Amino acid sequence: MGARIIDGRLVAAEIRGEVKARAAKLAAKGIVPGLAVILVGLDPASLSYVTAKEKACAENGLASFEVKMPAETSQEELLAVVRRFNADSRVHGILVQLPLPKHIDEKAVIGTIAPEKDVDGFTPINVGRMVLDEPCFLPCTPAGVIELIKRSGVPTDGARAVVVGRSNIVGKPLMNLLVRKSVNATVTICHTGTKDLALHVREADIVVACAGKPGLVTAEMLKPGCCVIDVGVNRVEDPSVAKGYRLKGDVDFEAASKVAGWITPVPGGVGPMTITMLLANTVDAAARISGLEA
Ligand code: GUN
Protein backbone atom coordinates (compact mmCIF):
# COMPACT_ATOMS: atom_id res chain seq x y z
CA MET A 1 0.00 0.00 0.00
CA GLY A 2 1.27 3.47 -0.82
CA ALA A 3 1.79 6.24 1.72
CA ARG A 4 -0.95 8.69 2.66
CA ILE A 5 -0.03 11.96 1.01
CA ILE A 6 -0.07 14.83 3.51
CA ASP A 7 -1.64 17.72 1.60
CA GLY A 8 -0.02 20.91 2.94
CA ARG A 9 -2.32 23.11 0.86
CA LEU A 10 -5.37 21.57 2.53
CA VAL A 11 -4.00 21.88 6.08
CA ALA A 12 -2.79 25.42 5.35
CA ALA A 13 -6.24 26.41 4.05
CA GLU A 14 -7.83 25.08 7.24
CA ILE A 15 -5.45 27.12 9.45
CA ARG A 16 -5.81 30.22 7.24
CA GLY A 17 -9.57 30.02 7.83
CA GLU A 18 -8.88 30.20 11.58
CA VAL A 19 -6.38 33.04 11.13
CA LYS A 20 -8.78 35.05 8.95
CA ALA A 21 -11.54 34.78 11.54
CA ARG A 22 -9.17 35.91 14.32
CA ALA A 23 -7.90 38.84 12.22
CA ALA A 24 -11.50 39.91 11.54
CA LYS A 25 -12.27 39.76 15.27
CA LEU A 26 -9.35 42.11 16.00
CA ALA A 27 -10.26 44.40 13.09
CA ALA A 28 -13.78 44.74 14.52
CA LYS A 29 -12.11 46.12 17.66
CA GLY A 30 -10.04 48.59 15.64
CA ILE A 31 -6.78 46.64 15.30
CA VAL A 32 -5.79 45.39 11.84
CA PRO A 33 -2.85 42.98 12.27
CA GLY A 34 0.06 44.37 10.27
CA LEU A 35 3.14 42.60 8.89
CA ALA A 36 6.26 44.43 7.66
CA VAL A 37 8.45 42.54 5.21
CA ILE A 38 11.92 43.81 4.34
CA LEU A 39 13.80 42.46 1.34
CA VAL A 40 17.35 43.44 0.48
CA GLY A 41 18.50 42.59 -3.07
CA LEU A 42 16.74 40.80 -5.88
CA ASP A 43 17.21 37.10 -5.19
CA PRO A 44 14.47 35.50 -7.34
CA ALA A 45 13.41 32.90 -4.74
CA SER A 46 13.24 35.58 -2.00
CA LEU A 47 11.26 37.89 -4.28
CA SER A 48 8.68 35.20 -4.92
CA TYR A 49 8.38 34.46 -1.17
CA VAL A 50 7.86 38.16 -0.43
CA THR A 51 5.17 38.48 -3.12
CA ALA A 52 3.42 35.39 -1.74
CA LYS A 53 3.50 36.86 1.80
CA GLU A 54 1.92 40.10 0.59
CA LYS A 55 -0.83 38.20 -1.24
CA ALA A 56 -1.52 35.98 1.78
CA CYS A 57 -1.87 39.06 4.03
CA ALA A 58 -4.36 40.66 1.63
CA GLU A 59 -6.42 37.46 1.36
CA ASN A 60 -6.70 37.01 5.11
CA GLY A 61 -7.39 40.53 6.34
CA LEU A 62 -3.88 41.53 7.42
CA ALA A 63 -2.16 44.76 6.41
CA SER A 64 1.27 44.42 4.83
CA PHE A 65 4.08 46.96 4.69
CA GLU A 66 6.76 46.04 2.24
CA VAL A 67 10.19 47.58 1.78
CA LYS A 68 12.41 46.43 -1.08
CA MET A 69 15.97 47.75 -0.77
CA PRO A 70 18.85 47.49 -3.26
CA ALA A 71 21.59 44.88 -2.71
CA GLU A 72 24.10 47.71 -1.96
CA THR A 73 22.06 48.92 1.05
CA SER A 74 24.31 49.53 4.05
CA GLN A 75 23.76 47.79 7.35
CA GLU A 76 22.92 51.11 9.03
CA GLU A 77 20.26 51.89 6.40
CA LEU A 78 18.69 48.49 6.97
CA LEU A 79 18.83 48.86 10.77
CA ALA A 80 17.10 52.25 10.44
CA VAL A 81 14.18 50.60 8.60
CA VAL A 82 13.92 47.87 11.26
CA ARG A 83 13.91 50.51 14.04
CA ARG A 84 11.25 52.49 12.19
CA PHE A 85 8.98 49.42 12.09
CA ASN A 86 9.77 48.63 15.76
CA ALA A 87 8.25 52.03 16.58
CA ASP A 88 5.33 51.88 14.12
CA SER A 89 2.08 51.01 15.95
CA ARG A 90 0.43 49.77 12.72
CA VAL A 91 3.07 47.04 12.49
CA HIS A 92 2.77 43.98 14.77
CA GLY A 93 5.16 41.65 12.97
CA ILE A 94 8.52 42.30 11.28
CA LEU A 95 10.25 39.91 8.92
CA VAL A 96 13.63 40.48 7.32
CA GLN A 97 13.90 38.07 4.41
CA LEU A 98 17.03 35.91 4.61
CA PRO A 99 19.63 35.44 3.28
CA LEU A 100 21.00 38.99 3.43
CA PRO A 101 23.87 40.25 1.23
CA LYS A 102 27.29 39.20 2.56
CA HIS A 103 28.34 42.70 3.72
CA ILE A 104 25.46 42.80 6.21
CA ASP A 105 25.73 41.15 9.63
CA GLU A 106 22.61 39.00 9.85
CA LYS A 107 22.88 38.62 13.63
CA ALA A 108 22.98 42.38 14.17
CA VAL A 109 19.89 42.87 12.01
CA ILE A 110 17.86 40.05 13.58
CA GLY A 111 18.94 41.20 17.04
CA THR A 112 17.50 44.68 16.35
CA ILE A 113 13.95 43.38 15.72
CA ALA A 114 11.76 44.05 18.78
CA PRO A 115 11.15 40.57 20.31
CA GLU A 116 7.40 41.28 20.63
CA LYS A 117 7.29 41.81 16.83
CA ASP A 118 9.65 38.93 15.93
CA VAL A 119 7.07 36.79 14.12
CA ASP A 120 9.84 34.69 12.51
CA GLY A 121 10.98 33.64 16.00
CA PHE A 122 14.62 34.28 15.08
CA THR A 123 15.77 36.72 17.82
CA PRO A 124 17.89 35.24 20.61
CA ILE A 125 15.13 36.13 23.11
CA ASN A 126 12.52 34.09 21.21
CA VAL A 127 14.93 31.20 20.61
CA GLY A 128 15.67 31.10 24.35
CA ARG A 129 11.97 31.16 25.19
CA MET A 130 11.31 28.35 22.72
CA VAL A 131 14.01 26.16 24.28
CA LEU A 132 12.60 26.86 27.75
CA ASP A 133 9.05 26.11 26.54
CA GLU A 134 7.88 29.61 27.47
CA PRO A 135 5.28 31.58 25.46
CA CYS A 136 7.02 32.87 22.32
CA PHE A 137 6.82 33.07 18.54
CA LEU A 138 7.78 29.74 17.02
CA PRO A 139 9.77 29.82 13.76
CA CYS A 140 7.27 29.35 10.94
CA THR A 141 8.58 26.34 9.01
CA PRO A 142 9.24 24.15 12.09
CA ALA A 143 5.86 25.18 13.57
CA GLY A 144 4.25 24.25 10.24
CA VAL A 145 5.93 20.83 10.28
CA ILE A 146 4.54 20.11 13.77
CA GLU A 147 1.04 21.18 12.65
CA LEU A 148 1.24 18.88 9.61
CA ILE A 149 2.27 15.92 11.76
CA LYS A 150 -0.40 16.55 14.42
CA ARG A 151 -3.27 17.33 12.08
CA SER A 152 -2.50 14.21 10.00
CA GLY A 153 -2.96 11.98 13.03
CA VAL A 154 0.64 10.69 13.06
CA PRO A 155 1.38 9.17 16.50
CA THR A 156 4.18 11.15 18.19
CA ASP A 157 4.14 10.07 21.84
CA GLY A 158 7.32 8.03 22.30
CA ALA A 159 8.00 8.02 18.55
CA ARG A 160 11.58 8.08 17.32
CA ALA A 161 12.15 11.21 15.23
CA VAL A 162 15.19 11.85 13.06
CA VAL A 163 15.84 15.38 11.80
CA VAL A 164 18.24 15.51 8.86
CA GLY A 165 19.80 19.00 8.86
CA ARG A 166 20.84 21.41 11.63
CA SER A 167 20.09 24.89 10.31
CA ASN A 168 19.11 27.66 12.74
CA ILE A 169 15.91 28.23 10.74
CA VAL A 170 14.61 24.65 10.52
CA GLY A 171 16.67 21.75 11.94
CA LYS A 172 17.62 23.11 15.36
CA PRO A 173 14.20 24.56 16.22
CA LEU A 174 12.52 21.33 15.07
CA MET A 175 14.74 19.34 17.40
CA ASN A 176 13.40 21.52 20.23
CA LEU A 177 9.75 21.28 19.20
CA LEU A 178 9.76 17.50 18.67
CA VAL A 179 11.21 16.92 22.12
CA ARG A 180 8.54 19.01 23.90
CA LYS A 181 6.13 17.06 26.13
CA SER A 182 3.24 18.00 23.81
CA VAL A 183 4.94 16.01 21.01
CA ASN A 184 7.08 13.72 23.18
CA ALA A 185 9.32 12.21 20.51
CA THR A 186 12.82 10.85 21.08
CA VAL A 187 14.93 12.99 18.79
CA THR A 188 18.13 12.40 16.84
CA ILE A 189 19.62 15.14 14.69
CA CYS A 190 21.80 14.17 11.72
CA HIS A 191 24.09 16.53 9.83
CA THR A 192 27.14 16.62 7.57
CA GLY A 193 29.25 15.13 10.39
CA THR A 194 26.97 12.09 10.76
CA LYS A 195 28.91 8.95 9.81
CA ASP A 196 26.06 6.70 8.63
CA LEU A 197 22.85 8.58 7.82
CA ALA A 198 20.95 5.42 6.81
CA LEU A 199 21.69 3.77 10.17
CA HIS A 200 19.80 6.56 11.99
CA VAL A 201 16.98 7.11 9.47
CA ARG A 202 16.19 3.38 9.45
CA GLU A 203 15.20 3.58 13.15
CA ALA A 204 12.86 6.56 12.68
CA ASP A 205 9.08 6.62 13.00
CA ILE A 206 9.20 10.26 11.88
CA VAL A 207 11.82 11.56 9.44
CA VAL A 208 12.14 15.28 8.75
CA ALA A 209 14.46 16.06 5.85
CA CYS A 210 15.75 19.64 5.96
CA ALA A 211 19.30 19.44 4.61
CA GLY A 212 18.81 21.26 1.31
CA LYS A 213 20.20 18.32 -0.70
CA PRO A 214 17.92 16.95 -3.44
CA GLY A 215 17.10 13.27 -3.03
CA LEU A 216 19.34 12.79 0.03
CA VAL A 217 16.85 10.53 1.81
CA THR A 218 16.16 7.39 -0.21
CA ALA A 219 13.47 4.71 0.09
CA GLU A 220 16.05 2.13 1.20
CA MET A 221 16.77 4.18 4.33
CA LEU A 222 13.16 4.23 5.54
CA LYS A 223 11.35 2.06 8.06
CA PRO A 224 8.12 0.80 6.43
CA GLY A 225 5.11 2.81 7.61
CA CYS A 226 7.10 5.80 8.89
CA CYS A 227 6.10 9.44 8.44
CA VAL A 228 8.30 11.45 6.07
CA ILE A 229 8.22 15.26 6.12
CA ASP A 230 10.22 16.84 3.31
CA VAL A 231 11.25 20.45 3.95
CA GLY A 232 13.66 20.59 0.98
CA VAL A 233 12.89 23.04 -1.81
CA ASN A 234 15.68 22.54 -4.32
CA ARG A 235 15.69 23.96 -7.83
CA VAL A 236 16.99 21.26 -10.19
CA GLU A 237 17.59 21.80 -13.89
CA ASP A 238 14.87 20.43 -16.14
CA PRO A 239 15.10 21.42 -19.82
CA SER A 240 11.72 19.76 -20.49
CA VAL A 241 9.83 22.58 -18.71
CA ALA A 242 9.56 26.21 -19.80
CA LYS A 243 11.18 27.62 -16.62
CA GLY A 244 14.20 25.36 -17.15
CA TYR A 245 14.00 24.02 -13.58
CA ARG A 246 11.65 22.15 -11.28
CA LEU A 247 11.39 21.85 -7.52
CA LYS A 248 12.69 18.71 -5.88
CA GLY A 249 12.68 17.84 -2.20
CA ASP A 250 15.37 16.24 -0.04
CA VAL A 251 13.53 12.91 -0.34
CA ASP A 252 13.24 10.59 -3.32
CA PHE A 253 9.44 10.97 -3.32
CA GLU A 254 8.47 8.36 -5.93
CA ALA A 255 10.25 5.45 -4.25
CA ALA A 256 9.76 6.69 -0.66
CA SER A 257 5.99 6.95 -1.06
CA LYS A 258 5.88 3.17 -1.65
CA VAL A 259 7.55 2.49 1.73
CA ALA A 260 6.36 5.28 4.04
CA GLY A 261 3.03 5.43 5.85
CA TRP A 262 2.69 9.20 5.39
CA ILE A 263 4.67 11.58 3.17
CA THR A 264 4.62 15.24 2.14
CA PRO A 265 5.06 16.14 -1.54
CA VAL A 266 7.26 18.96 -2.90
CA PRO A 267 5.70 21.30 -3.84
CA GLY A 268 2.43 21.26 -1.88
CA GLY A 269 3.65 19.88 1.44
CA VAL A 270 5.54 21.99 3.95
CA GLY A 271 5.79 25.06 1.66
CA PRO A 272 2.21 26.36 2.06
CA MET A 273 2.50 25.97 5.85
CA THR A 274 5.35 28.46 6.35
CA ILE A 275 3.44 31.59 5.31
CA THR A 276 0.34 30.31 7.11
CA MET A 277 2.22 30.10 10.41
CA LEU A 278 3.63 33.58 9.75
CA LEU A 279 0.10 34.94 9.44
CA ALA A 280 -0.89 33.12 12.65
CA ASN A 281 2.11 34.59 14.49
CA THR A 282 1.27 38.09 13.24
CA VAL A 283 -2.31 37.82 14.52
CA ASP A 284 -0.93 36.54 17.87
CA ALA A 285 1.47 39.52 17.98
CA ALA A 286 -1.34 41.99 17.27
CA ALA A 287 -3.44 40.45 20.05
CA ARG A 288 -0.58 40.52 22.57
CA ILE A 289 0.55 44.05 21.73
CA SER A 290 -2.99 45.47 21.76
CA GLY A 291 -4.07 43.47 24.82
CA LEU A 292 -7.20 42.38 22.92
CA GLU A 293 -8.49 38.87 22.44
CA ALA A 294 -8.39 37.44 18.93
N1 GUN B 1 14.46 32.59 4.22
C1 GUN B 1 14.12 31.29 4.10
N2 GUN B 1 13.21 30.96 5.02
C2 GUN B 1 12.96 32.07 5.74
C3 GUN B 1 12.09 32.35 6.83
O1 GUN B 1 11.36 31.51 7.35
N3 GUN B 1 12.13 33.63 7.28
C4 GUN B 1 12.95 34.57 6.75
N4 GUN B 1 12.93 35.79 7.29
N5 GUN B 1 13.75 34.35 5.74
C5 GUN B 1 13.75 33.10 5.24
Side-chain angles (χ1 to χ4, degrees):
M1 205 181 80
R4 275 159 280 192
I5 308 296
I6 297 179
D7 185 342
R9 292 191 180 107
L10 209 67
V11 180
E14 187 180 305
I15 300 175
R16 284 186 197 200
E18 298 160 13
V19 167
K20 195 172 179 175
R22 295 179 64 219
K25 203 168 156 190
L26 281 177
K29 296 175 190 166
I31 299 290
V32 176
L35 173 69
V37 178
I38 306 166
L39 174 66
V40 184
L42 292 170
D43 175 62
S46 293
L47 256 175
S48 72
Y49 289 139
V50 168
T51 306
K53 282 164 189 165
E54 223 184 340
K55 184 165 167 270
C57 281
E59 284 171 355
N60 294 282
L62 283 76
S64 65
F65 304 85
E66 195 195 87
V67 176
K68 288 190 181 128
M69 307 176 81
E72 320 71 75
T73 300
S74 72
Q75 183 163 313
E76 262 318 306
E77 285 169 317
L78 175 55
L79 290 178
V81 173
V82 173
R83 290 192 190 105
R84 178 157 64 75
F85 283 134
N86 281 345
D88 187 334
S89 62
R90 298 167 305 163
V91 171
H92 307 98
I94 301 172
L95 179 143
V96 179
Q97 187 65 38
L98 302 178
L100 288 168
K102 294 227 172 344
H103 66 277
I104 295 178
D105 177 2
E106 207 165 277
K107 279 189 188 156
V109 176
I110 298 297
T112 301
I113 299 171
E116 68 275 17
K117 296 190 178 185
D118 171 28
V119 286
D120 248 337
F122 288 172
T123 60
I125 297 249
N126 265 310
V127 175
R129 287 178 182 158
M130 174 189 64
V131 174
L132 296 171
D133 221 337
E134 291 175 7
C136 64
F137 295 111
L138 297 180
C140 302
T141 301
V145 168
I146 299 294
E147 286 293 331
L148 279 182
I149 292 172
K150 293 215 148 207
R151 291 184 187 233
S152 305
V154 177
T156 63
D157 193 7
R160 289 190 188 191
V162 169
V163 177
V164 185
R166 61 175 154 189
S167 69
N168 289 338
I169 292 183
V170 186
K172 281 190 220 160
L174 256 174
M175 172 183 80
N176 282 290
L177 299 185
L178 287 163
V179 89
R180 281 182 166 190
K181 282 224 169 99
S182 55
V183 179
N184 226 21
T186 300
V187 185
T188 300
I189 187 152
C190 297
H191 44 75
T192 47
T194 300
K195 293 229 162 56
D196 187 345
L197 179 63
L199 179 85
H200 296 281
V201 174
R202 202 169 288 129
E203 295 294 321
D205 304 302
I206 298 171
V207 181
V208 186
C210 49
K213 291 201 178 128
L216 176 69
V217 174
T218 63
E220 292 72 34
M221 294 180 186
L222 300 172
K223 175 153 106 180
C226 71
C227 168
V228 181
I229 306 287
D230 192 350
V231 184
V233 189
N234 307 290
R235 287 186 179 197
V236 294
E237 272 185 44
D238 186 348
S240 74
V241 293
K243 285 185 290 191
Y245 71 88
R246 68 187 162 84
L247 296 181
K248 186 170 163 51
D250 285 2
V251 178
D252 176 4
F253 179 85
E254 280 311 312
S257 60
K258 296 186 176 75
V259 180
W262 295 262
I263 192 166
T264 61
V266 176
V270 175
M273 294 297 291
T274 299
I275 295 181
T276 302
M277 301 317 287
L278 176 70
L279 300 177
N281 281 351
T282 305
V283 172
D284 283 342
R288 279 182 211 163
I289 291 170
S290 66
L292 295 170
E293 244 184 70

Coordinates of all heavy atoms in Angstrom, one line a residue, residues 98-134:
L98 N 15.7 36.4 4.7 CA 17.0 35.9 4.6 C 17.2 35.1 3.4 O 16.2 34.5 2.9 CB 17.3 35.0 5.8 CG 17.1 35.8 7.2 CD1 17.4 34.8 8.3 CD2 18.0 37.0 7.3
P99 N 18.4 34.9 2.8 CA 19.6 35.4 3.3 C 19.8 36.9 2.9 O 19.2 37.4 2.0 CB 20.7 34.6 2.5 CG 20.0 34.2 1.3 CD 18.5 34.1 1.6
L100 N 20.7 37.6 3.7 CA 21.0 39.0 3.4 C 22.3 39.0 2.7 O 23.1 38.1 2.7 CB 21.2 39.8 4.8 CG 19.9 40.0 5.5 CD1 20.2 40.5 6.9 CD2 19.0 41.1 4.8
P101 N 22.6 40.1 1.9 CA 23.9 40.2 1.2 C 25.0 40.1 2.2 O 24.9 40.4 3.4 CB 23.8 41.7 0.6 CG 22.4 42.0 0.6 CD 21.7 41.3 1.7
K102 N 26.2 39.6 1.7 CA 27.3 39.2 2.6 C 27.8 40.3 3.4 O 28.4 40.1 4.5 CB 28.4 38.7 1.7 CG 28.0 37.4 1.0 CD 29.1 36.3 1.1 CE 28.7 34.9 0.6 NZ 27.3 34.6 0.4
H103 N 27.7 41.6 2.9 CA 28.3 42.7 3.7 C 27.5 43.1 4.9 O 27.9 43.9 5.7 CB 28.6 43.9 2.8 CG 27.3 44.5 2.3 ND1 26.6 44.1 1.2 CD2 26.6 45.6 2.8 CE1 25.5 44.8 1.0 NE2 25.5 45.7 2.0
I104 N 26.3 42.5 5.1 CA 25.5 42.8 6.2 C 25.5 41.7 7.3 O 25.4 40.5 6.9 CB 24.0 43.0 5.7 CG1 24.0 44.3 4.8 CG2 23.0 43.2 6.9 CD1 22.6 44.6 4.2
D105 N 25.7 42.1 8.5 CA 25.7 41.1 9.6 C 24.3 40.7 10.0 O 23.6 41.5 10.7 CB 26.5 41.8 10.8 CG 26.5 41.0 12.0 OD1 26.0 39.8 12.0 OD2 27.1 41.4 13.1
E106 N 24.0 39.5 9.6 CA 22.6 39.0 9.8 C 22.2 39.0 11.3 O 21.1 39.4 11.7 CB 22.6 37.6 9.3 CG 21.2 37.1 8.9 CD 21.4 35.8 8.1 OE1 21.7 35.9 6.9 OE2 21.3 34.7 8.7
K107 N 23.2 38.7 12.2 CA 22.9 38.6 13.6 C 22.5 40.0 14.2 O 21.6 40.1 15.0 CB 24.1 38.1 14.4 CG 24.2 36.6 14.3 CD 25.3 36.1 15.3 CE 25.5 34.6 15.1 NZ 26.8 34.2 15.5
A108 N 23.2 41.0 13.7 CA 23.0 42.4 14.2 C 21.6 42.8 13.7 O 20.9 43.5 14.5 CB 24.0 43.3 13.6
V109 N 21.2 42.5 12.5 CA 19.9 42.9 12.0 C 18.8 42.1 12.8 O 17.8 42.8 13.3 CB 19.8 42.6 10.5 CG1 18.4 42.9 10.0 CG2 20.9 43.4 9.7
I110 N 18.9 40.8 12.9 CA 17.9 40.1 13.6 C 17.8 40.5 15.0 O 16.7 40.7 15.6 CB 18.2 38.5 13.5 CG1 18.2 38.0 12.1 CG2 17.2 37.7 14.4 CD1 16.9 38.1 11.3
G111 N 18.9 40.8 15.6 CA 18.9 41.2 17.0 C 18.3 42.6 17.3 O 18.0 42.9 18.4
T112 N 18.1 43.3 16.2 CA 17.5 44.7 16.4 C 16.0 44.6 16.3 O 15.3 45.5 16.7 CB 18.1 45.6 15.2 OG1 19.5 45.6 15.4 CG2 17.5 47.0 15.3
I113 N 15.4 43.5 15.8 CA 14.0 43.4 15.7 C 13.4 43.3 17.1 O 13.9 42.5 18.0 CB 13.5 42.1 14.9 CG1 14.1 42.2 13.5 CG2 12.0 41.9 15.0 CD1 13.9 40.9 12.7
A114 N 12.4 44.1 17.5 CA 11.8 44.0 18.8 C 11.2 42.6 19.0 O 10.4 42.1 18.2 CB 10.6 45.1 18.9
P115 N 11.6 42.0 20.1 CA 11.1 40.6 20.3 C 9.6 40.4 20.2 O 9.1 39.4 19.8 CB 11.7 40.2 21.7 CG 12.8 41.1 21.9 CD 12.5 42.4 21.2
E116 N 8.9 41.4 20.7 CA 7.4 41.3 20.6 C 6.8 41.4 19.2 O 5.7 41.1 19.0 CB 6.7 42.3 21.6 CG 6.8 43.8 21.2 CD 8.1 44.4 21.6 OE1 9.1 43.8 22.0 OE2 8.1 45.7 21.6
K117 N 7.7 41.8 18.2 CA 7.3 41.8 16.8 C 8.0 40.8 16.0 O 7.9 40.7 14.8 CB 7.5 43.2 16.3 CG 6.7 44.3 16.9 CD 6.8 45.6 16.2 CE 5.9 46.7 16.9 NZ 5.8 48.0 16.2
D118 N 8.8 39.9 16.6 CA 9.7 38.9 15.9 C 8.8 37.7 15.5 O 9.0 36.6 16.1 CB 10.8 38.6 16.8 CG 11.6 37.4 16.3 OD1 11.7 37.2 15.1 OD2 12.2 36.7 17.1
V119 N 8.0 37.9 14.5 CA 7.1 36.8 14.1 C 7.8 35.6 13.4 O 7.2 34.6 13.2 CB 5.9 37.3 13.3 CG1 4.9 38.1 14.1 CG2 6.4 38.2 12.1
D120 N 9.0 35.8 13.1 CA 9.8 34.7 12.5 C 10.4 33.8 13.6 O 10.9 32.7 13.4 CB 11.0 35.3 11.7 CG 11.0 35.0 10.2 OD1 10.3 34.1 9.8 OD2 11.6 35.8 9.5
G121 N 10.4 34.4 14.8 CA 11.0 33.6 16.0 C 12.5 33.5 15.9 O 13.0 32.5 16.4
F122 N 13.2 34.4 15.3 CA 14.6 34.3 15.1 C 15.5 35.0 16.1 O 16.7 34.8 16.2 CB 15.0 34.8 13.7 CG 14.6 33.9 12.5 CD1 14.7 34.4 11.2 CD2 14.0 32.7 12.8 CE1 14.3 33.6 10.2 CE2 13.6 31.9 11.7 CZ 13.8 32.4 10.4
T123 N 14.9 36.0 16.9 CA 15.8 36.7 17.8 C 16.2 35.8 19.0 O 15.5 34.9 19.3 CB 15.0 37.9 18.4 OG1 13.9 37.4 19.1 CG2 14.5 38.9 17.4
P124 N 17.4 36.1 19.5 CA 17.9 35.2 20.6 C 16.9 35.1 21.8 O 16.8 34.1 22.4 CB 19.2 36.0 21.1 CG 19.6 36.7 19.9 CD 18.4 37.1 19.1
I125 N 16.1 36.2 22.0 CA 15.1 36.1 23.1 C 14.1 35.1 22.8 O 13.7 34.3 23.6 CB 14.4 37.5 23.3 CG1 15.5 38.6 23.7 CG2 13.2 37.4 24.2 CD1 15.4 39.1 25.0
N126 N 13.6 35.1 21.6 CA 12.5 34.1 21.2 C 13.1 32.7 21.2 O 12.4 31.7 21.6 CB 11.9 34.5 19.9 CG 10.6 35.2 20.1 OD1 9.7 34.9 20.8 ND2 10.5 36.4 19.4
V127 N 14.3 32.5 20.7 CA 14.9 31.2 20.6 C 15.1 30.7 22.0 O 14.7 29.5 22.3 CB 16.3 31.3 19.9 CG1 17.0 29.9 19.9 CG2 16.1 31.7 18.4
G128 N 15.5 31.5 22.9 CA 15.7 31.1 24.3 C 14.3 30.7 24.9 O 14.2 29.7 25.6
R129 N 13.3 31.5 24.7 CA 12.0 31.2 25.2 C 11.5 29.8 24.6 O 10.8 29.1 25.3 CB 11.0 32.3 24.9 CG 11.2 33.5 25.7 CD 10.3 34.6 25.3 NE 10.5 35.8 26.1 CZ 10.2 37.0 25.8 NH1 9.5 37.2 24.6 NH2 10.5 38.1 26.5
M130 N 11.8 29.6 23.3 CA 11.3 28.4 22.7 C 12.0 27.2 23.4 O 11.3 26.2 23.8 CB 11.7 28.3 21.2 CG 11.4 27.0 20.6 SD 12.0 26.9 18.9 CE 13.7 27.0 19.2
V131 N 13.3 27.3 23.6 CA 14.0 26.2 24.3 C 13.5 25.9 25.7 O 13.4 24.8 26.1 CB 15.5 26.5 24.3 CG1 16.3 25.4 25.1 CG2 16.1 26.6 22.9
L132 N 13.1 27.0 26.4 CA 12.6 26.9 27.7 C 11.1 26.6 27.8 O 10.5 26.5 28.9 CB 12.9 28.2 28.5 CG 14.4 28.5 28.7 CD1 14.5 29.9 29.3 CD2 15.0 27.5 29.6
D133 N 10.5 26.4 26.6 CA 9.1 26.1 26.5 C 8.2 27.2 27.1 O 7.2 27.0 27.8 CB 8.8 24.8 27.2 CG 7.8 23.9 26.5 OD1 7.0 24.5 25.7 OD2 7.8 22.7 26.7
E134 N 8.6 28.5 27.0 CA 7.9 29.6 27.5 C 7.1 30.2 26.3 O 7.4 30.0 25.1 CB 8.8 30.7 28.0 CG 9.5 30.2 29.3 CD 10.6 31.2 29.8 OE1 10.7 32.3 29.2 OE2 11.3 30.9 30.7

